[in-house]
C-alpha cells in the first residue's frame, strides 16, 4: 500500500519531495481518475503520496503592486468567485467551464498545469497572461515563465524534488480585456476539442497596443500565435477578427482523436480566434 | 515528517455530529463513508469525478467524494444525503423530487440532492441556468433532467407540489408518487453495491486486454501461496456446471470464464477472490498469464470476408442470425413509382451508461452448500436463475435470485454479468463473496447497442403514398450471441417505420466480430433502422415537394390498416392522432425557424419531425407474466410482483392496476418484488412489456381476488371494499358486510385469500416471409426537434422537442412523462455524442452522455387511444420514448444546414466536414 504524507509546512514537504519518489496531490481531481484508469485494466499500483493540502502558506489569492499571486492550493472556484480585473476574465471564464462545480470546488489551477494535459483549460490563459510559475525545492526557489513550464505532452519543468508554490500573473493596464472560448461536444464535464484565450490592451481609439492569443488542444502543448499578435499591433480591435488567416495557425499540430479530426481542430481554432477577437472588440465597444 | 502507512485517526463533523474514524488516508471519502461508516446513500458510479453520484458537501460546497482523500476531510464538515441539510433544505428537496417523479432508478438522486442543496443554500433564487450549472456535474441517465430541474425550481420558489394519493378504484390515471420512491430520495434504497455480509470475500475479475487471443496460465497455486489474503483464483476449470451462458437456450455461447481463448477485449479469464486489500493490490501483471495475440475481426465487413476466421463453430461465415420480411414485389414497385430515395446509414456502438455499475454478492446457504443465493442488480431475475443454476450444475430450485434496487438498466442488465461468477465463487470458497464492477469493467465487458450498417430504399407515388420499401441491415453483434437474434428479427418488422407500405423487402444479419457483445438496448435495433427510414421519408418529401409532416400523416398506420407483416391493427393506432396533435407545433416551428434564419447567417435553426412504432412484448414468442395478490389473516395485503422495477416505475404502475382491479387503494398493499423464491415469473423487464403484459397479469390477479371476496360476501360486481387491519368490509348498495379475516381458514403462511393472474400476449409465429402477428399491440409516437447549428464550428444545440406519444392509457402520467423525457435524452445522445469504441471510450470521461445543460425544454402531448387488449387500455412506452428522437434531430440538422446526415453520432467534426464538402461542391 502506498505511504501517505501530509505535512503542514512547505519545508517538511520539500524534504519529503527530495528524499522520496512521491506524487504530490492537491485537489486530487487528476490523481484519482488516473489511478482508477490504471486499475481499470489491472494496474493496481500507486506511488507514495505527498498531500500538500495542509500547507497553509500555499493557500490564497493575493496581489502585490506588480503581480497577482495564486497560491498552489487556489481552486477554480476561488478564481471564479474572486473579484478580479478584466484582464483575468478569461481565466475566470475557464474556471467556470472546468468540469462541473464539484471539480471546480476541488481542482487547483496549479494542479491543472502540472498535469499538463494538452486539453487543460488553465494553460492557454496563463500563457496569454505571460504568467510565471514559482517552484520551490530544498535548494531554493525559482521562477519559470509559463511558456517554458509545459515542456511537452504531460511534461513540465517541475523537477522531481520541486513543488509548484504559486502562479504569478503580471498586472496589466486597466483597460486590458480578456476572453476564453472553449469548444466541446456537450455542455458540462467536457474536455475541450479546442480552446482559445485572448487578451488585448487598446488605446482610447480602439487601436491594439498589446495583444496575446493562445490556442489549446491543438498541439502537444498550448501555443501562442506570435505572428498574428505582431500583425495586429496598431490595428483597430474592431474588425481584427477578419484579419486572422490560416497562416497564423500554421505552427499548430493538432491530432486526430475521438473528439475531433486534426483538420477540424485547426479550422475550429481559426474560428475561435476570430470569435475571441470579435468578443474583445465587443467588450471594447461596450467600455467606450 | 508524518509517514502514514495504514490507517489514521480522522475527526470530522458528519451531518452535524462529530465522528472519529480510523481510515486509510488515501482511501476516497466516498469509500470511507460507504465501507467504514456504512453510509451507502453516497453512491459510486465511476470513482473518477465523471458522474457526480458521489456528490457530498464538504464545508458546505459540493464535491465528488470519490476524489477527496479521506484525510483531507479531517476537521471538515461533511454533509451527505443521510442528513437533513442546511435549514432542512435536503428534506424539502426530497419531497419535491418525490412529488415530481424526479427520481427514477434513484442512483443519481443522492448526488442530485446534494448538488441542489449546495445551490439553494448559497443562491436562494436561482435561474434555470443557475440550476443547470449547479447540477451539471451529476449525470442522470433516466430522467432527462427535466423533472429534476422542475423539482429544484419548485423548492427555490417555495412551492410545494404534493403528489396525490389515490382513492380506491381511482388509482389508474393518477399521478401518485412512485411506491418505491421514498427510499430513493432518502438514500436508503439498497443497490447492488450497498450491502453484503460483513464476512464476505471480495472478487476482482481479470479481463483480456486483447480482442482476440489464446492464453495459458502459469502456476496459480504458487501465486495463491505468495499473496497473503488471496483465497482463490478462479478459472474456467472451477466452474462446476456448464461454463456457458446466453439468452437463448440454443445460443449459450459465452463462457463464465474463458477457456484458453478470448473473443473480445474485456472478456473474463480469471477471478481473484480474497480480502479486499489482497485483490485490490495484486496487479494483473503479477498473475501468471501468457498471451498470444491473434488478428481480430473488428468490423462486420472483415467478419463476413470469406477468408475470415470463424469465431464460433456453429456460426458459418460468422453470421449469428438473419431476419427477413417480404410482401409484394418491392424491387418492381420501386421502378413504377413517382419518386425513389435510397441511402446508406451507419450507427455506432452505444453504451447504456446506467450510473450503477453491476454489483452484488452471493451467499452459500446450508450444508454443502445446499443452495446459493445471488443478491445483485438485474432486469431479469428468472433468466439469471437459469444461467446461474447452469453454471453451478444445480437444478433451479437450488438457486435464489434476490434483486437489489437497480440503478438503471435500459437493456444492459438483462444479460447476466456478475451472477454466475459470484455463484461459482461462493460455491468454491463456501463463503459469501461480493463484487463491484469498476466503470471501465462495466463498459468494457457488458453489452452495447448494436452498431448498424444499413442500406435502404423507399418509393412513393406522386401523392406521397409509400409504394415500396427495401432494407438490408448488418448489425455488429460482437463476440457473443446475447440478444443478437432479437435485433435481427425485430428490425424487419419495424424497419419501414409506422407506415402503410404495400411492397416491402427487409433483410438483416447479426454478425459476430471480436468486439464487445452487443445485446439489448432500448429499442432492439429499431432506433438504428428509424434513422434510415425517416431520412428516406424526408428525401421523398423533398423530391415530391410535399411537406414533411404531410407525407407522414398521409402514410401513418391507422385503425384497420395492414402492416407489412400482414397484421391488421385492430385497436390503438394513435399515430394519426399524435401527428394531428403536433400540427400546430409544426406550423409554428417552421415559421419561427424561418424568421430566425432570415437574420442569422452563421447560426442556423432547423426543424425536423420523425415517427416511430414499437411492438410491445417479445417477437412472436410466448412471454407470459404471472402475478399474485394475497390477503392474510391479519389483514396484510401483499402484491407479489416478479417484475423488476429498473427505474421506469413498473412497481407503481402494476400496483395501480392491481389496486383498481381489486377495488382497494394502492396504500393498502405491501409489495414483494422480483425474489425468485417468493414471486412468480413475470418475465424480463424489457421490450416495453411490463405495463402491457404484467399489467394484464396484475389486473387478472386483482380481479381474481375481488371475485373471491365478492363470492364470500355474496355481493354484486359493483360492491365497494375497505380493509382495516383484519376487518374486510364489503358494501353493496345498502348492504354492508364485514368479514373478520382472522376467522377464515388460513394456509401455512397465514394466507386466507389470494388472487392469481397470468397473461401472455396473443401473437402468432411469422412465416418464412415474416408474415403473421408478431406483437399484440404497438406503441406509436411522433416527435419534432428544433436545433441550432453553428455552421462554422459544426456544433449542434437542440433547442426544443415536442413529443406526441400514444400510450393507450397513461396509468401514471408523471411516470409516462418521465419515460419520455429520459428516452429523449438518450435519443439526443445517440444522435449527437455517444460512441463507444473498445479501448478508447471506456469511461464516462471520454464516452459522453447528455448533461443537465444539454436537454432542451420538452413539451409532451399524451395521446390515449385505448388498447382493448391492454390493462385499462394501456400499452408500453419505455422504448418508444427514444426511437423518434435521433431521426427528428438529424432531420432538423438537415433543415438547418442542408446536410443530409447518414452517420451518427453527428460529432462537431463530422458535421463540419459535411458542411465543408457541401461548400466545396457549391463552389
Ligand atoms: C470530471 C472531471 C472533469 C474535468 N474537466 C476539466 C476541464 O474541463 N478542463 C480542464 O482543464 N481540466 C478538467 N479536469 C481536470 C482538472 O480538474 C484538473 O486538471 C485540476 O485542475 C487539477 O487540480 P487538482 O488540485 O485536482 O490536482 P491533483 O489531481 O491533486 O494533481 C494533479 C497533478 O499535478 C501534480 N501537482 C498538483 N499540485 C502540485 C504542486 N503544487 N506541485 C507539483 N505538482 C503538483 C500532481 O502530482 C498531479 O500529477 C477535469 C477533471 C475531472 C475529474
Ligand atoms: S463516483 Fe464520484 S463522480 Fe462518479
Ligand atoms: S434516476 Fe437518475 S440515473 Fe436513474
Amino acid at each position: 500500500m502506498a505511504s501517505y504524507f501530509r505535512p503542514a509546512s512547505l519545508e517538511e514537504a520539500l524534504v519529503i519531495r527530495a528524499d522520496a519518489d512521491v506524487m504530490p496531490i492537491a485537489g486530487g481531481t487528476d490523481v484519482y481518475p488516473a489511478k482508477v484508469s490504471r486499475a481499470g485494466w489491472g494496474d493496481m499500483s500507486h506511488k507514495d503520496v505527498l498531500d500538500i493540502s495542509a500547507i497553509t502558506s500555499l493557500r490564497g489569492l493575493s496581489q502585490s503592486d506588480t503581480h497577482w499571486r495564486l497560491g498552489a492550493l487556489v481552486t477554480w472556484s476561488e478564481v471564479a468567485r474572486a473579484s478580479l480585473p478584466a484582464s483575468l476574465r478569461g481565466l475566470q471564464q475557464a474556471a467556470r467551464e472546468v468540469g462541473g462545480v464539484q471539480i471546480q470546488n476541488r481542482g487547483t489551477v496549479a494542479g491543472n498545469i502540472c498535469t499538463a494535459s494538452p486539453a487543460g483549460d488553465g494553460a492557454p490563459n496563463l500563457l496569454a497572461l505571460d504568467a510565471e510559475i514559482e517552484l520551490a525545492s530544498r535548494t531554493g526557489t525559482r521562477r519559470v515563465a509559463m511558456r517554458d513550464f509545459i515542456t511537452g505532452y504531460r511534461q513540465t519543468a517541475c523537477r522531481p524534488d520541486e513543488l509548484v508554490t504559486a502562479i504569478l500573473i503580471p498586472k496589466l493596464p486597466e483597460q486590458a480585456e480578456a476572453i476564453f472560448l472553449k469548444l466541446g461536444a456537450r455542455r458540462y464535464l467536457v474536455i475541450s476539442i479546442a480552446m482559445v484565450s485572448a487578451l488585448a490592451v487598446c488605446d482610447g481609439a480602439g487601436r491594439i497596443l498589446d495583444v496575446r492569443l493562445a490556442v489549446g488542444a491543438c498541439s502537444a502543448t498550448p501555443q501562442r500565435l506570435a505572428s498574428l499578435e505582431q500583425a495586429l499591433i496598431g490595428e483597430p480591435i474592431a474588425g481584427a477578427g477578419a484579419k486572422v488567416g490560416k497562416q497564423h495557425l500554421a505552427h499548430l499540430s493538432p491530432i486526430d482523436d475521438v473528439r475531433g479530426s486534426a483538420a477540424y481542430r485547426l479550422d475550429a481554432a481559426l474560428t475561435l480566434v476570430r470569435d475571441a477577437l470579435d468578443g474583445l472588440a465587443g467588450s471594447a465597444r461596450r467600455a467606450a | 515528517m508524518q509517514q502514514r502507512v495504514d490507517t489514521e485517526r480522522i475527526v470530522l463533523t458528519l451531518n452535524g455530529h462529530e465522528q472519529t474514524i480510523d481510515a486509510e488516508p488515501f482511501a476516497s471519502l466516498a469509500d470511507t463513508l460507504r465501507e467504514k461508516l456504512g453510509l451507502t446513500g453516497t453512491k459510486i458510479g465511476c470513482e473518477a469525478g465523471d458522474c457526480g453520484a458521489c456528490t457530498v458537501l464538504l464545508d458546505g460546497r459540493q464535491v465528488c467524494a470519490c476524489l477527496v482523500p479521506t484525510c483531507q476531510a479531517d476537521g471538515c464538515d461533511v454533509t451527505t444525503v443521510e442528513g437533513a441539510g442546511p435549514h432542512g433544505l435536503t428534506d424539502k428537496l426530497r419531497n419535491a423530487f418525490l412529488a415530481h417523479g424526479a427520481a427514477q432508478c434513484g442512483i443519481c438522486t443522492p448526488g442530485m440532492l446534494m448538488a441542489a442543496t449546495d445551490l439553494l443554500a448559497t443562491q436562494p433564487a436561482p435561474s434555470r441556468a443557475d440550476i443547470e450549472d449547479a447540477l451539471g456535474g451529476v449525470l442522470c441517465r433516466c430522467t432527462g433532467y427535466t423533472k429534476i430541474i422542475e423539482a429544484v425550481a419548485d423548492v427555490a420558489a417555495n412551492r410545494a407540489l404534493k403528489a396525490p394519493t389515490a382513492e380506491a378504484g381511482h388509482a389508474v390515471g393518477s399521478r401518485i408518487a412512485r411506491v418505491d420512491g421514498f427510499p430513493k430520495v432518502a438514500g436508503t434504497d439498497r443497490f447492488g453495491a450497498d450491502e453484503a455480509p460483513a464476512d464476505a470475500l471480495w472478487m476482482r475479475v481479470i479481463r483480456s486486454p486483447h480482442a482476440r487471443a489464446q492464453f495459458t496460465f502459469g502456476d496459480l497455486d504458487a501465486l495463491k501461496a505468495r499473496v497473503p489474503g488471496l483465497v482463490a483464483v478462479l478459472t474456467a476449470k472451477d466452474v462446476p456446471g456448464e461454463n456457458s451462458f446466453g439468452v437463448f437456450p440454443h445460443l449459450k455461447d459465452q463462457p463464465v470464464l474463458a477457456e484458453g481463448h478470448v473473443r473480445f477485449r474485456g472478456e473474463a479469464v480469471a477471478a481473484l477472490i480474497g480480502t479486499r486489500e489482497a485483490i485490490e493490490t495484486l496487479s494483473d501483471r503479477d498473475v501468471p498469464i501468457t498471451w498470444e495475440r491473434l488478428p481480430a475481426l473488428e468490423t462486420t465487413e472483415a467478419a463476413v470476408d470469406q477468408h475470415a476466421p470463424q469465431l464460433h463453430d456453429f456460426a458459418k461465415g460468422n453470421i449469428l442470425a438473419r431476419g427477413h420480411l417480404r410482401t409484394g414485389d418491392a424491387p418492381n414497385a420501386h421502378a413504377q413509382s413517382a419518386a425513389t430515395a435510397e441511402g446508406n446509414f451507419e450507427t455506432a456502438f452505444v453504451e447504456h451508461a446506467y450510473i450503477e455499475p453491476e454489483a452484488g454478492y452471493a451467499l452459500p446457504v446450508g450444508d454443502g452448500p445446499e443452495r446459493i443465493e445471488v443478491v445483485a442488480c438485474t432486469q431479469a431475475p428468472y433468466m439469471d436463475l437459469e444461467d446461474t443454476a447452469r453454471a453451478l450444475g444445480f437444478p433451479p430450485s437450488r438457486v435464489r435470485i434476490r434483486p437489489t434496487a437497480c440503478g438503471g438498466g435500459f437493456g444492459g442488465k438483462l444479460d447476466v454479468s456478475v451472477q454466475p461468477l459470484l455463484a461459482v465463487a461462493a460455491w468454491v470458497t463456501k463463503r459469501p463473496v461480493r463484487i463491484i464492477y469498476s466503470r471501465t469493467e462495466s463498459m468494457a465487458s457488458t453489452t452495447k447497442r448494436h452498431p448498424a450498417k444499413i442500406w435502404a430504399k423507399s418509393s412513393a407515388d406522386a401523392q406521397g403514398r409509400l409504394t415500396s420499401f427495401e432494407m438490408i441491415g448488418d448489425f455488429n453483434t460482437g463476440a457473443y450471441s446475447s440478444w443478437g437474434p432479437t435485433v435481427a428479427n425485430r428490425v424487419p418488422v419495424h424497419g419501414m417505420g409506422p407506415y402503410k407500405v404495400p411492397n416491402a423487402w427487409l433483410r438483416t444479419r447479426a454478425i459476430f466480430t471480436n468486439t464487445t457483445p452487443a445485446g439489448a438496448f432500448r429499442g432492439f435495433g429499431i432506433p438504428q433502422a428509424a434513422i434510415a427510414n425517416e431520412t428516406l421519408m424526408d428525401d421523398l418529401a423533398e423530391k415530391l415537394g410535399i411537406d414533411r409532416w404531410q407525407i407522414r400523416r398521409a402514410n401513418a398506420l391507422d385503425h384497420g390498416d395492414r402492416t407489412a407483416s400482414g397484421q391488421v391493427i385492430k385497436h390503438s393506432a394513435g399515430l394519426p392522432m399524435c401527428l394531428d396533435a403536433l400540427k400546430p407545433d409544426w406550423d409554428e416551428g417552421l415559421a419561427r425557424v424561418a424568421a430566425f434564419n432570415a437574420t442569422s447567417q452563421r447560426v442556423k435553426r432547423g426543424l425536423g419531425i420523425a415517427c416511430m412504432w414499437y411492438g410491445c412484448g417479445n417477437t412472436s414468442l410466448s412471454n407470459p407474466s404471472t402475478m399474485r395478490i394475497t390477503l392474510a389473516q391479519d389483514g396484510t395485503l401483499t402484491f407479489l410482483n416478479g417484475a423488476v422495477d429498473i427505474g421506469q416505475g413498473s412497481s407503481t404502475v402494476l400496483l395501480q392496476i392491481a389496486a383498481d382491479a381489486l377495488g382497494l387503494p394502492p396504500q393498502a398493499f405491501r409489495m414483494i418484488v422480483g425474489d425468485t423464491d417468493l414471486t412468480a415469473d413475470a418475465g424480463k423487464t424489457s421490450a416495453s412489456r411490463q405495463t402491457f403484459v404484467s399489467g394484464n397479469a396484475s389486473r387478472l390477479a386483482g380481479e381474481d381476488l375481488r371475485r373471491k371476496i365478492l363470492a364470500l360476501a355474496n355481493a354484486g360486481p359493483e360492491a365497494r371494499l375497505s380493509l382495516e387491519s383484519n376487518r374486510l368490509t364489503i358494501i353493496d348498495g345498502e348492504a354492508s358486510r364485514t368479514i373478520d379475516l382472522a376467522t377464515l381458514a388460513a394456509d401455512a403462511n397465514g394466507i386466507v385469500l389470494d388472487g392469481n393472474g397470468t397473461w401472455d400476449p396473443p401473437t402468432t409465429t411469422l412465416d418464412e416471409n415474416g408474415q403473421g402477428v408478431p406483437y399484440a399491440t404497438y406503441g406509436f409516437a411522433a416527435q419534432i426537434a428544433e436545433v441550432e447549428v453553428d455552421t462554422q464550428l459544426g456544433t449542434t444545440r437542440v433547442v426544443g422537442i415536442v413529443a406526441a406519444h400514444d400510450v393507450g392509457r397513461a396509468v401514471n402520467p408523471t411516470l409516462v412523462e418521465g419515460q419520455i423525457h429520459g428516452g429523449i435524452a438518450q435519443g439526443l445522445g445517440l444522435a449527437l455524442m455517444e460512441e463507444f469504441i473498445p479501448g478508447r471510450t471506456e469511461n464516462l470521461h471520454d464516452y459522453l452522455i447528455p448533461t443537465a445543460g444539454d436537454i432542451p425544454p420538452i413539451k409532451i402531448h399524451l395521446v390515449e387511444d385505448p388498447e382493448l387488449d391492454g390493462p385499462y387500455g394501456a400499452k408500453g412506452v419505455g422504448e418508444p420514448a427514444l426511437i423518434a428522437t435521433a431521426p427528428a434531430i438529424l432531420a432538423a440538422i438537415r433543415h438547418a444546414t442542408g446536410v443530409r446526415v447518414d452517420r451518427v453520432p453527428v460529432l462537431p467534426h463530422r458535421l463540419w466536414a459535411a458542411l465543408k464538402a457541401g461548400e466545396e461542391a457549391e463552389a
Side-chain angles (χ1 to χ4, degrees), chain A residues 227-244:
Chain A
S227 67
L228 178 60
E229 291 175 9
Q230 269 154 30
L232 290 176
I233 299 289
E235 298 286 332
I237 183 83
K243 301 200 173 73
V244 187

Side-chain angles (χ1 to χ4, degrees), chain A residues 24 26-31 76 99 103 108 112 114-115 120-121 164 182 190, chain B residues 49:
Chain A
T29 63
D30 280 325
V31 169
W76 289 110
I103 303 300
T108 60
N112 187 258
C114 287
T115 293
D121 287 326
V164 170
K182 165 170 174 171
V190 68

